[in-house]
Amino acid sequence: MIKTAFRNLFRHKRRTLLTFSILSIAIMYYIVIQGMLDGFEIESTKNFINLETGHLKITSAEYNHETFEGRMSNYINVENALRSLPFINGICPRLKIVGFIDNGIDEYPVIIVGIDPHKDTTVFELHKYTNGLISPSGLWIGSVIANRFNVKEGDILYLTFKGKRGTIVSKEFTIEGIIDAPSFIINNLQVFTHINSLNEIGEFEGEISEIFVKTDNFENSFNYKTEVEKILPAYSVKTWQEEGKDFLSISEAKKFSQNILLFFIVLIGIIGTANTLMIAVFERIREIGTLKAIGMKDNEVMKLFITEGVLIGIAGSLFGVLLGVIINSILVKYGIDWSPLLPKEMNFGYRVSGVIKNTWNLKSIWISLILGPISTLIASYLPAKRAKSLLPAECLRWI
């Protein structure tokens, strides 16, 4: 049966090759796109945690995340309590103020972030995008902000903001680092200076806005949140997942797009195979009549056409997976430079920039190996049923 099915498929090489190729390309595309989307998600998650949120964020219960009002003053006690937990690997305080950056002529609204240079490195990787640690008179600014003011390292800019007592204060800072990070917020909206300088200028008396925490496993953040809330019941604790609702919504959209890709692969397999086999039935009507006349049973005729369809699915799946694995392995090793398609001035949700490498999604490979034969099996049913229903006498009279 299989030998006969192979022979029948090769009788019309061009048509069989076209159906086989369309299915293979669809499967290859699915594997590569899955690897690409997973690569984006993994890289974005890593950058989101390492540059913006840490694993946990602790604030006062009345803290306003938009105005940054409701700061905490006894954060040293909070730090000491956190250090008693065995899963805590890093703790850093930050002071955030809404203000302006200017060059004496033009000004630009920013979020001024005061950091402790040494503690900050235990949670965040911001220092990897600059040269060394920030000094009390230094300023780090995003690359987009630097382009707006046409400044470079060593130039002077002014920070202006409202101090704790309601007075407007301003001070000049030397640019010690221009940050080009995979984060829209950092590149466009935030500037960084030493937390002691910000406290002194604004007379905040040692207050801070937020405490960020790095744990031994970011995937256990919700369990760790519960433990932190037990020892700090008067404070608000948020996980990186809660902070990144907009980012995680993109992941949900990605899952939907995966289902769409699967649907189209099945559709391509069904339409292509059904079209090929239905044409084959009409072309081979006299042959079907002859086979039935010499003793081939109806079910055997039906099995023959179903076998042809499944063989197309198996071959298409195997070749598609092979192509997908080859192309994906190249992208896993070298990646693609997405810089031209990801302008720093626009927020795409994903925290990525530059070269992004694909990852391996074994689930997509197994699905592809199974999906091709199943889709062509479904597609083969109607043509095979049509061939089964033909009467030998009717077939032999076919012109």
Side-chain angles (χ1 to χ4, degrees):
M1 183 74 70
I2 294 177
K3 184 178 179 180
T4 304
F6 263 118
R7 187 172 64 249
N8 290 336
L9 288 174
F10 282 103
R11 287 163 63 180
H12 300 280
K13 295 184 180 68
R14 186 176 299 176
R15 186 192 307 147
T16 302
L17 183 61
L18 179 62
T19 306
F20 160 85
S21 300
I22 292 174
L23 182 60
S24 296
I25 291 171
I27 288 174
M28 176 271 292
Y29 179 80
Y30 172 65
I31 291 173
V32 173
I33 290 298
Q34 287 297 100
M36 185 180 299
L37 291 174
D38 286 351
F40 265 81
E41 184 172 351
I42 291 171
E43 184 71 13
S44 185
T45 300
K46 182 184 73 173
N47 291 330
F48 181 64
I49 291 173
N50 292 337
L51 293 174
E52 296 183 27
T53 66
H55 298 170
L56 298 172
K57 185 175 83 170
I58 301 163
T59 64
S60 64
E62 61 274 10
Y63 183 68
N64 188 313
H65 295 268
E66 295 182 358
T67 63
F68 309 123
E69 296 294 331
R71 296 178 289 270
M72 64 175 77
S73 55
N74 57 340
Y75 75 93
I76 297 298
N77 295 333
V78 175
E79 283 192 23
N80 292 334
L82 289 171
R83 287 195 172 88
S84 66
L85 298 173
F87 54 82
I88 301 294
N89 287 348
I91 304 170
C92 76
R94 283 186 168 185
L95 174 61
K96 291 184 177 179
I97 308 292
V98 176
F100 291 90
I101 187 170
D102 68 88
N103 58 2
I105 302 174
D106 301 313
E107 64 179 16
Y108 181 74
V110 293
I111 298 170
I112 305 169
V113 184
I115 63 173
D116 182 313
H118 296 284
K119 290 182 179 179
D120 214 69
T121 58
T122 66
V123 177
F124 295 109
E125 297 183 353
L126 190 64
H127 61 285
K128 292 184 178 180
Y129 297 88
T130 61
N131 298 318
L133 301 179
I134 198 166
S135 70
S137 61
L139 185 68
W140 289 346
I141 63 175
S143 57
V144 175
I145 299 174
N147 291 336
R148 285 179 178 271
F149 288 98
N150 192 25
V151 292
K152 60 184 183 301
E153 290 186 15
D155 290 345
I156 301 296
L157 286 175
Y158 297 87
L159 292 182
T160 304
F161 57 93
K162 183 186 291 187
K164 181 177 181 179
R165 309 187 193 288
T167 56
I168 302 299
V169 294
S170 182
K171 183 176 174 62
E172 70 172 29
F173 288 86
T174 303
I175 299 174
E176 294 183 348
I178 295 177
I179 304 169
D180 189 6
S183 168
F184 172 84
I185 293 175
I186 292 175
N187 290 336
N188 290 264
L189 302 176
Q190 293 183 340
V191 297
F192 299 84
T193 188
H194 201 291
I195 192 170
N196 292 342
S197 299
L198 203 57
N199 255 306
E200 181 183 345
I201 300 165
E203 299 181 326
F204 293 111
E205 300 173 352
E207 293 180 339
I208 62 145
S209 305
E210 303 158 338
I211 292 178
F212 295 91
V213 173
K214 183 177 182 180
T215 67
D216 56 11
N217 188 345
F218 73 97
E219 294 180 343
N220 289 337
S221 56
F222 280 104
N223 294 331
Y224 292 156
K225 172 185 175 179
T226 303
E227 295 297 315
V228 172
E229 287 176 332
K230 288 179 182 178
I231 64 170
L232 298 173
Y235 294 86
S236 172
V237 184
K238 288 191 175 183
T239 66
W240 67 268
Q241 293 98 324
E242 292 171 316
E243 285 291 292
K245 291 179 180 178
D246 61 328
F247 159 67
L248 293 175
S249 65
I250 298 177
S251 298
E252 293 300 317
K254 188 201 81 168
K255 293 177 183 177
F256 177 75
S257 68
Q258 292 173 346
N259 294 330
I260 295 295
L261 280 174
L262 284 174
F263 170 76
F264 277 108
I265 289 174
V266 173
L267 190 63
I268 287 169
I270 290 175
I271 293 175
T273 306
N275 180 64
T276 297
L277 293 181
M278 191 61 78
I279 293 173
V281 169
F282 283 104
E283 286 181 343
R284 291 155 53 189
I285 284 180
R286 289 179 64 86
E287 179 184 326
I288 292 169
T290 302
L291 291 172
K292 288 187 175 184
I294 62 175
M296 182 174 278
K297 297 178 181 179
D298 290 344
N299 285 338
E300 290 177 331
V301 173
M302 187 173 183
K303 287 179 182 178
L304 178 62
F305 281 92
I306 288 177
T307 302
E308 292 178 21
V310 172
L311 286 175
I312 292 175
I314 292 173
S317 292
L318 289 175
F319 191 69
V321 167
L322 179 62
L323 279 178
V325 168
I326 291 172
I327 295 174
N328 198 62
S329 63
I330 295 171
L331 295 178
V332 166
K333 184 175 182 180
Y334 299 104
I336 298 176
D337 187 356
W338 291 92
S339 300
L341 299 177
L342 298 173
K344 297 181 180 64
E345 297 82 2
M346 298 182 66
N347 187 2
F348 292 93
Y350 275 124
R351 273 68 171 177
V352 293
S353 65
V355 175
I356 309 299
K357 296 182 179 180
N358 282 32
T359 60
W360 288 108
N361 188 316
L362 296 180
K363 181 180 177 181
S364 67
I365 295 175
W366 285 112
I367 288 175
S368 298
L369 287 171
I370 296 170
L371 207 57
I374 289 178
S375 63
T376 53
L377 174 64
I378 295 170
S380 306
Y381 179 76
L382 289 178
K385 188 177 181 181
R386 169 63 177 162
K388 175 185 176 181
S389 65
L390 293 172
L391 297 174
E394 177 187 349
C395 293
L396 294 173
R397 288 196 301 267
W398 184 269
I399 301 175

